[in-house]
Amino acid sequence: MKYWLLVPEALIVGFAVLVVVAGRFAWLPRPWRAFVPHAAVVVVLVALGIELWAGATAGAYFGGALVQDRFALFVKAVALVTAGIVIACSDWVSEDSAYLAVAMPLLAAFGVMVAASAADLVGLWAGLELVGVSGVVLVALRRPDLGLRLLVVGGIGSVLLLVGLVFIYATTGNADLSGIRSGITGEPPTVAVVIPVLLLIAGLAIRAGVAPFHAGTLPVGLGASPVGSALVVGMAAVAAGVVALKLTAALLPIGDSYAAFAQVVAAIAMVGGGAAALGVRSPRPRMAYIAIAQLGWLAAGSATHFRSGFGSSLFLLGAFALAA
């Protein structure tokens, strides 16, 4: 049964690579190219069915490198449904490359799935970076200048995130999420742990485009193609939210030290995003600002450090993914 857990990811990645190669070498005749999005939706539905069947078996697999629980099952299902909706509802005339516009949402969904099942810091970082790269590819097709800007902004967020992860690893001596939580349980919060956590929050806020860090990513999302905007404004924020929830669960014993900072970020995102949405008239920027406000509610739920707060944040994350 454990090998069936990898089938959804293999289907998504395999089809995405096949689409990119077919587009690069023009393997498909022109009449068949219109059916590529339909085939992608079918692959996503098959992967979703297998995920709901095989993924229902909770546990740790492959030496603890992959964790399958209700959290991972929910996030993976949401990622697959979101990718299917993006591909099924997109206007391919508005896209710069139909092949990449099909492949990149699939790779972004795969990145979210990797982060959802990751049991260590490396898996979380790899899944988040894969989603970010997918957005850069689609943005750069239409606006290379905005693609470069997104790459720089994402690089800043990645640096902050990596510095925080390295300090946590050096402090706890463990890269596994369960080992990190066990290592800091009962220990008083120290500056060596609290400061890296603040760097993690800042890096994830930049990746998600939470106010006031949205100034770096929001113009890029508004200037991208429809699918590129969905990846920059939606999928990247979803991946950052998944990583934030998993790190919050691992760092729960020192929650009181950074709860106030997370609450401030949540309040700024909610108030700032809502006020900005009221101040614009164009529908597309207004929806983007509303998405920023919704991320504030997600941060507020995770800042409570209670099971009900985590559950509410996870539910809001799923709703945000489908809407954004």
Side-chain angles (χ1 to χ4, degrees), residues 21 61 117 169 183 210 216:
V21 174
Y61 302 91
S117 294
Y169 173 75
V210 178

Side-chain angles (χ1 to χ4, degrees), residues 133-268:
V133 170
S134 302
V136 171
V137 170
L138 286 187
V139 172
L141 285 177
R142 173 166 298 188
R143 294 282 303 274
D145 57 328
L146 291 181
L148 180 60
R149 177 176 180 175
L150 181 61
L151 186 63
V152 173
V153 173
I156 295 174
S158 297
V159 168
L160 293 175
L161 187 65
L162 280 175
V163 171
L165 294 178
V166 169
F167 269 95
I168 289 177
Y169 173 75
T171 302
T172 61
N174 204 321
D176 297 331
L177 298 178
S178 59
I180 291 174
R181 179 167 183 172
S182 301
I184 61 178
T185 299
E187 297 291 334
T190 61
V191 176
V193 177
V194 174
I195 291 181
V197 169
L198 297 180
L199 294 176
L200 289 177
I201 295 176
L204 291 174
I206 292 175
R207 275 294 188 184
V210 178
F213 304 103
H214 66 284
T217 57
L218 186 58
V220 175
L222 298 179
S225 66
V227 176
S229 179
L231 296 186
V232 174
V233 179
M235 274 294 201
V238 171
V242 171
V243 174
L245 287 176
K246 299 203 73 169
L247 287 176
T248 301
L251 299 171
L252 192 62
I254 60 170
D256 293 338
S257 301
Y258 63 92
F261 182 80
Q263 291 168 1
V264 170
V265 172
I268 293 176

Side-chain angles (χ1 to χ4, degrees), residues 7-17 43-44 47 80 106-107 110 113:
V7 173
E9 286 87 344
L11 284 175
I12 296 299
V13 173
F15 189 81
V17 173
V43 171
V44 170
L80 291 173
L106 295 178
L107 290 180
F110 173 70
M113 296 169 73

Side-chain angles (χ1 to χ4, degrees), residues 31 36 54 72 75 77-78 80 89 91 93 97 105 107 148 168 179 185 230 233 253 294:
V36 173
V75 172
V78 169
L80 291 173
C89 299
D91 181 12
V93 179
S97 172
L107 290 180
L148 180 60
I168 289 177
T185 299
V233 179
Q294 292 300 313

Side-chain angles (χ1 to χ4, degrees), residues 20-109:
V20 172
V21 174
R24 176 65 179 83
F25 297 101
W27 284 353
L28 291 177
R30 185 174 296 273
W32 288 91
R33 297 177 186 178
F35 294 97
V36 173
H38 301 82
V41 173
V42 172
V43 171
V44 170
L45 291 177
V46 172
L48 177 62
I50 297 176
E51 181 64 41
L52 295 178
W53 169 66
T57 305
Y61 302 91
F62 306 103
L66 185 149
V67 175
Q68 185 71 13
D69 50 16
R70 287 182 291 179
F71 176 89
L73 179 60
F74 179 83
V75 172
K76 288 182 177 181
V78 169
L80 291 173
V81 172
T82 303
I85 291 176
V86 169
I87 296 173
C89 299
S90 295
D91 181 12
W92 301 109
V93 179
S94 303
E95 296 299 323
D96 304 289
S97 172
Y99 289 103
L100 290 179
V102 170
M104 292 304 108
L106 295 178
L107 290 180

Side-chain angles (χ1 to χ4, degrees), residues 74-75 77-79 81-82 238 242 245 298 311-324:
F74 179 83
V75 172
V78 169
V81 172
T82 303
V238 171
V242 171
L245 287 176
L298 174 65
S312 301
S313 296
L314 183 59
F315 178 79
L316 288 175
L317 182 66
F320 171 84
L322 299 178

